Structure formats: structure tokens, C-alpha cells
């Protein structure tokens, strides 16, 4: 009996209870991309390859800095909170708006809370929309609206997950799926060429041209499409699930390195081969020939999107539980039932507004820029503006407060001008075109007419 019990406990530790730095790395990589991997080649084509590579590296560096600033704020907030208040609540989840509000007051908390709720709601509903689009490319016997109904049942399962501690297996699967899809897209693009021929000239499909950037609007729309590289949608939730949250920055650095490889290989290879054809194809997988590997890659993308939805919605459910004041309830059933209305709202939103692609970039320009770059950097400046708080804290850059302040202000200025300004301008023009003749709850948005 004791042997059986020990095996059960060992299995739970291996598959269920995750809080190590490796688990944080898994969560960071798994939370990043999913269906966005399919849209990166188009963003690369919109920018032109040289600009795309520069911006991928630049936005990744900005993301590393902003995430590190969030980690410093989280650790400072954690030292201020009495550990006994959550010691007996293993399901309790700390979130970004609580960290910022705890350090800077209620006004900061309200602003961060609003951005956090809208961002989490948007990225969660976008996963349902992405699933219906990908599923339709695999099997068009069902329209996209029907696929959204089908996946609604699957997407409801994360309601049962208590917290981010219990996501180890799912995050591992997320990393495996995204690496497989990246490898498939790269190999499928280059499979007809030897290494020697690649050195002479990069492969291109017939009649391919590379005219980008063709307009300022298209250029800045592509720039917003790169923004997800520097963003971890649930940073504080991942930190809060770690046994040693002070190691988050290292996990994020390795996670960013992995994501850059996963993104850049297929983006560069597909942009070189298909060129301007990508400009009219948000889902780059559609340009690759159908095969068993092609269908497998799409199925794995679907699995990754389900995993992403679980991670994002878990944070949204925690926020809702706090609003209705049952997050700290010991009743698992009560907390689970309270999540159902939130899921139904996500499901209805995905059915009503399936504007996949353009709406992602539009909301990224507004929500992601503010929630994960501007507000954290501004909060870091506000917390450490006076000399006294800086005495008990290491400089983020290790080069002094002057460098910290300059980098934070530079990121804020970049996001306001390039993403919320020029990027949003380009996305609005694109979104207006997308909305022409579109009504809520379409049966099959942007589907090919029946033959």
C-alpha cells in the first residue's frame, strides 16, 4: 500500500507539481507563439528581410528588459507581503496588477487591472479563433463557425486546472509542438535543395519577387506583428508558480533564445522562397504542399493553441475569482463553477468576431505595448525614482540608475511612437478593409466560395 502511495506521489511530482526554473522555461516557450508562428513569415515579408531580422532582435531585447523589470518589481512586492497570508493557499495566484498596485497604490492598480483583463480576454478568445482557422485548413467539410463550436468543448477543460503549478506536462507538449512545426516549415521549404545549392542561391518558388516594403502602412503593420516576440502574456503568474522566482530572468533569457531560433528559421526560409506571395497569405502553412507531415504540423498547432488557451484563461479566471471575491475560497467546486461564465463570454466573442490576423495586430499595438512594456517600465521608474528604494536593490542593468532610467524611457518612447502610433495607424487601415461587408457571427469568415 505504501509502495503504491509512493508511486502515486512520484507521478504527481513528475507530471503535475511544477515549480522549477526548467518549468518556468517550459511555460515561457509554450506561452509565446502557437498560431503566431504561422503569421511571422507574412510579417517578415511586409518588413523586408533585413528590417525583419533587426526588429526581431531589437524587440526580443526590449522584451528581456521589460520582463526583468517585472521580475524586480515582483520580488520587491513579495518581500513586502506577509508570506503567511498565502502559505495555506497553494492555489493563490499573484498577478501583474497586484504587484504594481501593491508598490504604487490603487490608481496604478486600476489602470494595470483594466489593461490586464482586456489583454487576457483578447489573447484567450483569439486562441479559439485561431483553432477554427487552422482546423478549417485541415478539413473544410465543416465551416469555421462549426469548428469554433467543436473546439469550445475542448477549450472548456482548463476550467478544471487549479493553478499554473499544474501545467508541467502541457507546457512540455507545447514546446515539442512548436519546435516540430518550426522544423517542418523550414525543412519543407528547403527539402529540394542541397547545402551546396543553398550557398550559391537561396531557393525561390517560380515567379517570386521581393518588393517589400511596398508602403509605410504595410511596413508598420509588419512591425506590430513582431511585437509578440518580446512578450510573455502571463509573466507574474509564471514567477508566482516558481519555487525560486529570482531565477526567472535566466529562464526568460533561455526561453527567448529558443523562441528566436524557432521563429527566425522558418520566417527567413519562407520569405526567401515565397516572397510577395506571403503578403496575401496570413497563414504561411497554406503555401506548403499537402502531405502527412503538413497535416501533422497543423494538428500539433491545434494542440499548442489549446495549451495556450489554458495558460491564458487560467490567469483570466484568477482575475475574475478575485473580482467576485472567491479566489481564496478553499472550495475547489465554487471556484471552478465561477469560471464558467467567463469561458462562455470567450466562446461567444470568438463566434461573433472571427477576424483572425488583422485584429491580432490591432490589439497587440494597443494592449501588449501598454500592458507588458509601457506600464512595467513606467512602474520601475516610479518605484526606484528616489535614492532610498535603490539602496536595497541591485541595478537592473548592473551599470547604475542612469542606464536603467535611459533604457526604460527608451522602451516607453519606442512603444508609444512606433507601436501605439505608427504601428496602430497601419493596423487600423488594414482592419477597416477587413471589416468591409463583414457582420457578427459569420458562418465561415474569409472562406473560399463553394465549388
Amino acid at each position: 500500500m505504501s509502495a503504491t502511495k509512493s508511486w502515486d506521489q512520484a507521478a504527481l511530482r513528475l507530471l503535475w507539481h511544477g515549480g522549477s526554473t526548467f518549468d518556468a522555461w517550459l511555460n515561457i516557450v509554450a506561452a509565446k507563439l502557437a498560431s503566431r508562428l504561422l503569421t511571422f513569415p507574412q510579417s517578415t515579408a511586409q518588413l523586408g528581410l533585413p528590417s525583419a531580422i533587426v526588429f526581431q532582435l531589437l524587440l526580443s531585447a526590449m522584451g528581456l528588459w521589460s520582463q526583468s523589470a517585472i521580475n524586480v518589481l515582483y520580488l520587491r512586492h513579495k518581500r513586502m507581503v506577509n508570506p503567511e497570508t498565502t502559505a495555506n493557499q497553494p492555489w493563490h495566484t499573484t498577478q501583474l496588477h497586484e504587484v504594481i498596485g501593491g508598490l504604487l497604490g490603487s490608481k496604478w492598480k486600476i489602470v494595470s487591472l483594466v489593461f490586464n483583463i482586456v489583454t487576457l480576454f483578447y489573447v484567450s478568445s483569439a486562441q479559439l479563433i485561431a483553432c477554427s482557422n487552422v482546423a478549417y485548413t485541415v478539413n473544410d467539410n465543416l465551416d469555421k463557425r462549426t469548428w469554433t463550436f467543436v473546439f469550445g468543448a475542448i477549450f472548456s477543460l482548463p476550467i478544471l486546472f487549479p493553478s499554473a503549478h499544474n501545467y508541467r506536462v502541457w507546457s512540455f507538449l507545447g514546446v515539442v509542438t512548436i519546435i516540430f512545426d518550426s522544423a517542418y516549415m523550414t525543412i519543407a521549404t528547403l527539402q529540394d535543395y542541397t547545402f551546396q545549392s543553398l550557398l550559391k542561391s537561396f531557393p525561390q518558388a517560380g515567379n517570386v519577387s521581393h518588393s517589400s516594403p511596398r508602403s509605410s502602412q504595410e511596413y508598420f503593420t509588419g512591425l506590430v506583428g513582431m511585437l509578440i516576440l518580446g512578450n510573455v502574456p502571463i509573466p507574474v503568474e509564471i514567477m508566482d508558480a516558481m519555487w525560486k522566482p529570482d531565477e526567472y530572468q535566466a529562464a526568460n533569457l533561455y526561453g527567448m533564445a529558443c523562441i528566436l531560433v524557432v521563429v527566425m528559421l522558418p520566417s527567413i526560409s519562407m520569405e526567401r522562397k515565397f516572397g510577395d506571395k506571403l503578403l496575401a497569405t496570413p497563414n504561411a502553412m497554406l503555401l506548403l504542399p499537402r502531405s502527412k507531415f503538413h497535416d501533422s504540423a497543423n494538428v500539433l498547432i491545434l494542440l499548442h493553441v489549446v495549451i495556450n488557451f489554458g495558460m491564458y484563461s487560467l490567469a483570466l479566471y484568477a482575475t475574475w475569482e478575485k473580482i467576485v471575491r472567491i479566489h481564496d475560497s478553499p472550495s475547489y467546486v465554487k471556484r471552478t463553477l465561477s469560471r464558467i461564465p467567463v469561458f462562455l463570454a470567450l466562446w461567444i466573442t470568438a463566434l461573433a468576431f472571427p477576424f483572425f490576423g488583422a485584429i491580432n495586430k490591432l490589439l497587440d499595438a494597443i494592449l501588449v505595448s501598454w500592458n507588458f512594456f509601457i506600464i512595467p517600465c513606467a512602474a520601475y521608474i516610479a518605484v526606484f525614482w528616489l535614492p532610498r528604494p535603490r539602496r536595497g536593490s541591485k541595478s537592473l542593468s548592473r551599470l547604475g540608475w542612469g542606464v536603467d532610467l535611459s533604457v526604460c524611457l527608451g522602451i516607453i518612447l519606442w512603444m508609444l511612437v512606433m507601436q501605439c502610433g505608427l504601428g496602430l495607424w497601419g493596423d487600423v487601415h488594414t482592419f477597416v478593409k477587413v471589416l468591409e461587408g463583414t457582420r457578427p457571427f459569420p458562418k465561415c469568415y474569409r472562406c473560399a466560395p463553394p465549388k
Side-chain angles (χ1 to χ4, degrees):
M1 188 74 178
S2 59
T4 303
K5 187 176 180 180
S6 64
W7 274 105
D8 291 344
Q9 291 175 346
L12 284 174
R13 283 196 300 270
L14 177 64
L15 303 175
W16 189 253
H17 298 306
S20 67
T21 305
F22 178 67
D23 286 306
W25 179 83
L26 289 175
N27 288 334
I28 289 167
V29 176
K32 279 258 188 189
L33 291 175
S35 61
R36 296 296 188 90
L37 180 65
L38 308 181
T39 65
F40 261 96
Q42 185 187 55
S43 296
T44 302
Q46 289 172 327
L47 285 164
L49 189 57
S51 291
I53 293 175
V54 170
F55 284 133
Q56 284 176 3
L57 297 175
L58 178 62
L59 289 169
S60 297
M62 288 184 181
L64 285 173
W65 181 276
S66 300
Q67 294 291 310
S68 297
I70 293 173
N71 185 238
V72 171
L73 296 174
Y74 170 80
L75 294 173
R76 186 175 183 84
H77 175 263
K78 189 176 181 181
R79 288 195 297 268
M80 294 172 57
V81 176
N82 184 2
E84 295 180 1
T85 58
T86 57
N88 298 319
Q89 300 168 349
W91 55 83
H92 183 89
T93 302
T94 306
Q95 296 182 284
L96 182 58
H97 62 275
E98 293 174 315
V99 170
I100 292 176
L103 295 173
L104 294 172
S106 58
K107 292 182 179 179
W108 280 80
K109 182 177 181 179
I110 292 171
V111 172
S112 180
L113 174 62
V114 170
F115 274 101
N116 211 29
I117 288 177
V118 178
T119 303
L120 289 172
F121 192 92
Y122 141 61
V123 296
S124 298
S125 59
Q127 305 313 305
L128 255 171
I129 298 169
C131 253
S132 66
N133 280 270
V134 176
Y136 183 76
T137 64
V138 178
N139 184 349
D140 59 4
N141 291 326
L142 299 178
D143 58 75
K144 293 181 183 179
R145 186 170 64 187
T146 303
W147 276 120
T148 305
F149 276 111
V150 171
F151 278 100
I154 301 173
F155 276 62
S156 65
L157 295 178
I159 290 175
L160 304 174
F161 282 80
S163 73
H165 282 284
N166 315 119
Y167 231 76
R168 172 179 287 175
V169 174
W170 295 106
S171 293
F172 178 79
L173 287 175
V175 173
V176 171
T177 57
I178 207 67
I179 291 176
F180 177 91
D181 283 291
S182 174
Y184 163 73
M185 293 170 69
T186 305
I187 294 171
T189 307
L190 306 178
Q191 63 178 345
D192 297 328
Y193 298 85
T194 64
F195 180 73
Q196 289 77 12
S197 65
L198 288 176
L199 291 178
K200 295 179 181 178
S201 62
F202 210 92
Q204 296 184 354
N207 300 320
V208 168
S209 59
H210 297 82
S211 60
S212 294
R214 300 186 301 186
S215 67
S216 299
Q217 174 189 328
E218 189 175 83
Y219 187 82
F220 290 113
T221 298
L223 176 59
V224 174
M226 297 286 177
L227 188 58
I228 191 69
L229 266 180
N231 165 40
V232 179
I234 47 172
V236 173
E237 287 82 358
I238 294 176
M239 296 174 202
D240 207 50
M242 295 179 69
W243 298 320
K244 297 178 180 179
D246 54 314
E247 296 181 358
Y248 175 83
Q249 294 184 38
N252 192 35
L253 176 62
Y254 295 129
M256 186 67 72
C258 177
I259 288 297
L260 274 174
V261 173
V262 166
V263 165
M264 294 181 79
L265 287 178
S267 295
I268 293 173
S269 61
M270 296 198 75
E271 193 277 340
R272 286 292 87 193
K273 181 165 185 175
F274 296 108
D276 290 349
K277 291 183 179 181
L278 287 165
L279 299 176
T281 313
N283 183 349
M285 197 86 78
L286 294 176
L287 295 174
L288 297 174
R290 292 294 296 268
S291 66
K292 292 181 179 179
F293 287 106
H294 186 278
D295 290 339
S296 298
N298 275 311
V299 170
L300 290 179
I301 279 287
L302 290 174
L303 175 59
H304 195 133
V305 172
V306 173
I307 292 168
N308 272 185
F309 178 85
M311 300 177 80
Y312 304 156
S313 62
L314 201 62
L316 186 62
Y317 296 149
T319 305
W320 171 250
E321 290 168 10
K322 291 169 186 176
I323 292 174
V324 297
R325 300 184 178 182
I326 64 168
H327 184 64
D328 295 328
S329 169
S331 173
Y332 169 76
V333 174
K334 184 186 293 185
R335 286 183 285 110
T336 300
L337 291 176
S338 72
R339 299 173 175 184
I340 295 176
V342 180
F343 170 74
L344 292 177
L346 293 169
W347 198 3
I348 293 172
T349 301
L351 287 166
F353 309 109
F355 312 127
F356 181 64
I359 195 171
N360 286 349
K361 294 180 180 179
L362 180 70
L363 294 176
D364 279 353
I366 304 171
L367 300 175
V368 173
S369 296
W370 277 89
N371 202 39
F372 300 113
F373 291 91
I374 296 174
I375 292 178
C377 287
Y380 182 86
I381 292 172
V383 169
F384 296 105
W385 181 258
L386 297 176
R388 185 176 179 181
R390 298 201 295 268
R391 291 175 192 150
S393 179
K394 292 182 179 179
S395 169
L396 188 58
S397 64
R398 307 294 174 89
L399 297 174
W401 167 246
V403 175
D404 287 6
L405 177 62
S406 299
V407 175
C408 285
L409 288 175
I411 291 176
I412 292 172
L413 185 62
W414 173 277
M415 291 297 159
L416 288 173
V417 175
M418 300 298 289
Q419 304 290 350
C420 299
L422 297 172
L424 183 59
W425 164 75
D427 290 327
V428 168
H429 279 272
T430 304
F431 192 56
V432 169
K433 294 179 181 178
V434 167
L435 285 180
E436 290 179 359
T438 301
R439 296 180 180 179
F441 297 99
K443 185 176 182 180
C444 203
Y445 173 71
R446 283 200 166 183
C447 296
K451 299 179 181 178

